[in-house]
């Protein structure tokens, strides 16, 4: 089992992006997916950093893929999706409509925002050219094991969400703009003020969710530190680490050490918690009963 | 005339909808194969067969929703339900999952396939993909599009479109939301439920009634006011110095006055949400909308009629069709 860095979900400055991928290039991860996932309006601010980042990452021996948007609606966005093909990198499909642009026979990856819940869907995508699939984060461990087996039969590597705020929903509506009483078309890019998302609490002050433009995330940070053995035993090919602002290269190193058996789950949790957005961990999608739950509440305290 | 597609959560609601003038009704089996898997709702195999026969006798079509995403290792149940739907005489199945669509196309090629709103096909590429890959003949459009966008989509596709005109509103892209699963472990995609009643708890606290879902407070209302059901995305939350409905106000969709515009945009069918609603509700809404589509087809002005008291929270919106939040 190795490590994959997923596309950054948040709106960072070009300088932040550059520094981030320079540090990821030195981190013990096998592959990196980059590109704008959430909002096409952000693209002009940072995507000119992508060619440089790809070069740095490839020079460091990483496999690199480019992600589509998670929700493609506008004509301009369909064109931008088609243009991704010109980069000569594998595409990670995060909106199924991108498949309409990928020629038959061209291999592609499938991201966690595409609904791949069963063997039938996995097999169909494999026949269409999928070689890697990151499963939806809400899938429980038993289902993951079944999917890994189905993937092995058709040459698809199965990846799961390893660490980061969980992508729970995507909408046509921008919640950052709404919270600032602005229309989406006049958002003034306020999502850039919250580099790990903006927290949403219940009226009783319980941390609950986080908004990131048109995306809704968990307030907690999903953390698979306690489950690396079980996931490796199930045959999972890779753990996906989702970019966050705090000490990300150390986080990659921590998970690499954990997989190599050089650090205990408890020690990894203690190391990662201070930098976790929201300051709390969850792993309930994997183990139940609900996504927000954390299997080791004592360590989290 | 535009086709009016109406909800049938029970055999009684199906009869009420057909009697009130539904051109088609949609329904599901009583299990996790459909996205309204609520206690007391839906059809057994026998009820499905007799319901379809009854609807056909009155000239109405029956569309069977199998619009959840089959569980890994459990696809057999969904496959069996496809066969059950065909055997019962369903006019079409409403599907969302690619694997299930592929299975239906291969094993039940003569049964019409509609793409569920749960597949959230929101642009012409997505729709053409599902049409070409799986022979989908109609697409239920997500509730995130304006009328102009719908017209533009219809110019680029060859399949029929169906749009929601009345009832509950999902503010998230349908079929791509695990908020409920995060709070309760039960999700629309995997279990066919959202914000399930089994995980709802009300508590009187001081002057308030708190409504919680999976332990998370979704609303607090003064005790003497009606308390809305704690649907997660319609909840009242706080973020920074803001408190309110962060995601969506507790309103429901009423696009009756947009029917002429939707007809002009090339829409084939109009859908009413509400399989969880009573047959009285279904009958009244269906009658009102049947009169509206008849008027539009005949070039008459839209009949006035008040459905406001049937709307969630008594507040209605034209939703994304007349987008103000763009």
């Amino acid at each position: 089992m190795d490590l994959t860095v997923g596309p950054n979900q948040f709106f960072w400055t070009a300088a932040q992006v550059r520094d981030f991928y320079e540090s990821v290039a030195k981190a013990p991860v096998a592959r990196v997916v980059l590109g704008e996932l959430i909002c096409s309006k952000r693209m002009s601010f940072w995507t000119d950093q992508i060619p440089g980042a790809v070069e740095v990452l490839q020079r460091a021996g990483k496999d690199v893929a480019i992600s589509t948007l998670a929700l493609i609606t506008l004509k301009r966005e369909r064109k931008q999706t088609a243009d991704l093909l010109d980069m000569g990198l594998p595409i990670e499909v995060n909106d199924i409509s991108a498949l309409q642009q990928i020629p038959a026979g061209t291999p592609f990856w499938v991201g966690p925002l595409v609904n791949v819940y069963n063997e039938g869907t996995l097999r169909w995508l494999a026949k269409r050219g999928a070689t890697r699939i990151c499963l939806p984060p809400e899938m429980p461990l038993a289902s993951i094991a079944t999917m890994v087996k189905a993937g092995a039969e058709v040459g698809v590597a199965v990846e799961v969400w390893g660490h980061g705020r969980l992508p729970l929903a995507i909408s046509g509506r921008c919640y950052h703009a709404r919270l600032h009483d602005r229309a989406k078309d006049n958002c003034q890019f306020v999502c850039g003020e919250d580099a790990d998302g903006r927290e949403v609490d219940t009226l009783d002050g319980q941390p609950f969710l986080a908004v990131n433009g048109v995306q809704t995330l968990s307030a907690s940070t999903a953390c698979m530190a306690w489950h690396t053995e079980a996931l490796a035993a199930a045959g999972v090919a890779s753990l996906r680490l989702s970019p966050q602002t705090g000490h990300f290269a150390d986080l990659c190193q921590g998970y690499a050490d954990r997989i190599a058996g050089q650090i205990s789950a408890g020690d990894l949790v203690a190391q990662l918690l201070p930098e976790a957005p929201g300051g709390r961990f969850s792993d309930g999608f994997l183990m139940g009963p609900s996504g927000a739950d954390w299997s080791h509440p004592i360590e989290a305290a | 005339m535009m086709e009016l597609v109406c909800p049938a959560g029970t055999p009684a609601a199906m009869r009420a909808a057909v009697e009130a003038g539904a051109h088609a009704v949609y329904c599901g089996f009583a299990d996790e194969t459909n996205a309204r898997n609520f206690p007391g709702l839906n059809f057994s195999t026998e009820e499905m067969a007799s319901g379809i026969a009854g609807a056909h006798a009155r000239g109405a079509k029956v569309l069977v929703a199998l619009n959840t995403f089959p569980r890994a290792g459990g696809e057999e149940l969904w496959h069996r339900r496809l066969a059950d739907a065909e055997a019962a005489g369903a006019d079409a199945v409403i599907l969302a999952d690619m694997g299930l669509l592929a299975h239906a196309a291969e094993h039940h090629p003569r049964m019409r396939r509609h793409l569920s709103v749960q597949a959230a096909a929101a642009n012409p590429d997505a729709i053409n993909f599902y049409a070409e890959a799986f022979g989908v003949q109609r697409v239920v459009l997500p509730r995130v599009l304006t009328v102009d966008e719908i017209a533009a989509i219809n110019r680029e596709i060859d399949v029929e479109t169906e749009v929601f005109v009345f009832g509950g509103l999902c503010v998230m892209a349908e079929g791509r939301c695990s908020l409920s699963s995060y709070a309760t472990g039960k999700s629309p995609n995997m279990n066919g439920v959202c914000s399930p009643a089994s995980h709802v708890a009300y508590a009187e606290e001081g002057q308030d009634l708190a409504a919680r879902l999976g332990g998370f407070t979704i609303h607090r209302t003064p005790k003497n006011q009606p308390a809305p059901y704690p649907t997660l995305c319609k909840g009242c939350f706080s973020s920074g110095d803001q408190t309110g409905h962060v995601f969506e106000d507790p309103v429901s969709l009423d696009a009756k006055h947009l029917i002429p515009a939707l007809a002009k945009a090339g829409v084939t069918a109009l859908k009413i949400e509400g399989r969880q609603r009573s047959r009285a509700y279904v009958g009244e809404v269906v009658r009102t909308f049947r009169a509206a589509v008849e008027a539009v087809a005949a070039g008459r002005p839209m009949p006035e009629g008040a459905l406001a008291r049937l709307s969630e929270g008594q507040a209605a919106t034209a939703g994304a069709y007349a987008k103000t939040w763009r």
Side-chain angles (χ1 to χ4, degrees):
Chain A
M1 191 164 69
D2 61 24
L3 298 170
T4 300
V5 176
N8 177 31
Q9 307 186 89
F10 306 103
F11 185 27
W12 293 354
T13 64
Q16 269 176 298
V17 169
R18 191 173 52 241
D19 293 351
F20 179 80
Y21 287 109
E22 273 171 14
S23 80
V24 166
K26 297 180 198 119
V29 300
R31 69 192 66 71
V32 180
V33 184
L34 42 63
E36 178 58 50
L37 180 68
I38 302 301
C39 180
S40 62
K41 290 176 68 180
R42 298 172 177 175
M43 286 177 170
S44 61
F45 290 90
W46 76 272
T47 48
D48 58 347
Q49 298 298 318
I50 289 177
V54 169
E55 201 191 317
V56 168
L57 292 164
Q58 286 182 331
R59 215 183 310 133
K62 316 296 184 200
D63 259 352
V64 181
I66 185 97
S67 175
T68 71
L69 285 166
L71 184 63
I72 300 169
T73 51
L74 306 175
K75 217 165 200 157
R76 161 170 58 83
E77 294 166 349
R78 292 161 64 198
K79 169 81 170 56
Q80 285 161 341
T81 306
D83 290 346
L84 293 178
L85 283 165
D86 300 337
M87 298 185 68
L89 296 169
I91 305 280
E92 177 168 287
V93 173
N94 272 300
D95 178 315
I96 201 66
S97 69
L99 272 192
Q100 200 64 1
Q101 319 270 5
I102 299 176
T106 304
F108 60 90
W109 301 359
V110 178
L113 301 181
V114 172
N115 286 334
V116 187
Y117 282 95
N118 52 63
E119 309 92 301
T121 297
L122 182 149
R123 279 195 292 268
W124 191 89
L125 286 166
K127 213 184 276 178
R128 180 64 178 76
T131 56
R132 298 190 71 79
I133 295 178
C134 182
L135 297 175
E138 71 170 340
M139 280 182 82
L141 185 56
S143 296
I144 291 169
T146 304
M147 296 297 277
V148 167
K149 268 194 216 117
E153 287 165 14
V154 290
V156 168
V158 169
E159 189 175 310
V160 302
W161 193 265
H163 194 96
R165 278 191 155 158
L166 292 156
L168 296 178
I170 189 99
S171 173
R173 186 168 204 167
C174 178
Y175 302 116
H176 255 99
R178 182 169 157 90
L179 279 165
H180 286 261
D181 286 322
R182 290 174 192 163
K184 188 175 175 183
D185 287 346
N186 182 34
C187 66
Q188 297 169 44
F189 306 99
V190 283
C191 60
E193 293 172 10
D194 300 292
D196 290 294
R198 175 172 168 161
E199 270 139 53
V200 173
D201 299 339
T202 71
L203 293 183
D204 291 334
Q206 303 156 286
F208 189 20
L209 303 169
V211 295
N212 170 40
V214 295
Q215 185 187 37
T216 304
L217 299 151
S218 59
S220 66
T221 291
C223 170
M224 294 303 129
W226 288 98
H227 310 295
T228 51
E229 284 95 348
L231 291 167
V236 168
S238 188
L239 281 186
R240 174 161 295 215
L241 309 177
S242 189
Q244 64 179 42
T245 54
H247 296 195
F248 191 75
D250 294 345
L251 187 158
C252 298
Q253 187 64 55
Y255 270 94
D257 292 346
R258 177 81 190 96
I259 291 168
Q262 291 164 356
I263 178 175
S264 72
D267 285 352
L268 180 59
V269 164
Q271 179 204 317
L272 298 180
L273 192 57
E275 295 296 332
R280 323 171 69 241
F281 282 145
S282 61
D283 55 8
F285 277 144
L286 198 69
M287 308 304 292
S290 64
D293 289 312
W294 173 236
S295 58
H296 288 72
I298 295 156
E299 282 79 4
Chain B
M1 195 186 309
M2 296 172 97
E3 181 179 313
L4 197 56
V5 182
C6 305
T10 60
M14 183 185 277
R15 284 191 295 276
V18 171
E19 279 163 24
H23 298 115
V25 291
Y26 64 100
C27 55
F29 291 105
D31 56 34
E32 71 260 42
T33 59
N34 83 92
R36 285 281 187 275
N37 179 24
F38 298 155
L41 278 197
N42 298 317
F43 291 65
S44 68
T45 318
E46 297 72 34
E47 287 168 337
M48 187 65 81
S50 61
I52 290 174
H56 283 175
R58 301 193 62 137
K61 289 182 211 158
V62 179
L63 319 176
V64 177
L66 294 162
N67 57 347
T68 47
F69 294 84
R71 191 176 53 252
E75 289 170 288
E76 216 284 295
L77 172 63
W78 280 258
H79 294 171
R80 201 163 66 231
R81 288 315 199 181
L82 270 176
D84 290 344
E86 186 163 51
D91 296 278
V93 280
I94 308 171
L95 311 175
D97 180 64
M98 287 182 273
L100 193 60
L101 279 158
H103 179 91
E106 188 182 346
H107 298 279
H108 307 279
R110 284 186 306 281
M111 189 157 52
R112 253 176 86 92
R113 292 177 289 287
H114 291 187
L115 189 69
S116 170
V117 71
Q118 296 302 114
N123 70 48
D125 290 334
I127 294 167
N128 288 330
F129 162 70
Y130 284 104
E132 290 165 24
F134 309 111
V136 161
Q137 285 157 290
R138 180 185 292 182
V139 173
V140 185
L141 294 177
R143 287 161 275 199
V144 298
L145 300 163
T146 63
V147 174
D148 287 345
E149 286 167 340
I150 291 168
I153 285 174
N154 273 324
R155 284 193 290 272
E156 287 191 61
I157 63 172
D158 293 326
V159 297
E160 300 168 358
T161 49
E162 177 175 312
V163 304
F164 281 94
V165 286
F166 194 81
L169 264 179
C170 269
V171 63
M172 304 304 178
E174 291 95 338
R176 306 186 68 186
C177 177
S178 40
L179 288 173
S180 175
S181 174
Y182 183 69
T184 72
K186 299 284 178 198
S187 84
N189 285 1
M190 297 196 300
N191 313 99
V193 295
C194 174
S195 308
S198 53
H199 289 68
V200 171
Y202 293 94
E204 285 192 10
E205 293 171 359
Q207 293 308 301
D208 287 350
L209 182 69
R212 299 201 170 88
L213 180 74
F216 293 103
T217 306
I218 306 298
H219 296 289
R220 278 184 167 279
T221 35
K223 262 192 287 196
N224 55 359
Q225 284 180 19
Y229 186 84
T231 303
L232 204 159
C233 60
K234 312 278 173 65
C236 196
F237 304 108
S238 70
S239 179
D241 54 4
Q242 299 268 62
T243 294
H245 296 101
V246 169
F247 302 104
E248 177 62 292
D249 301 319
V251 294
S252 66
L253 175 70
D254 183 357
K256 193 179 106 186
H257 289 279
L258 292 173
I259 293 175
L262 292 166
K264 222 169 139 196
V267 169
T268 299
L270 303 174
K271 184 163 213 157
I272 294 166
E273 185 275 346
R275 279 194 279 151
Q276 69 283 21
R277 300 293 197 147
S278 71
R279 64 186 166 165
Y281 168 97
V282 169
E284 185 168 349
V285 174
V286 173
R287 261 188 300 282
T288 303
F289 273 87
R290 177 65 190 256
V293 295
E294 298 242 8
V296 170
R300 294 196 308 270
M302 185 77 65
E304 285 308 316
L307 285 171
R309 65 189 176 78
L310 295 174
S311 296
E312 185 178 349
Q314 280 84 51
T317 171
Y321 299 130
K323 209 171 280 180
T324 53
W325 36 267
R326 190 59 168 265

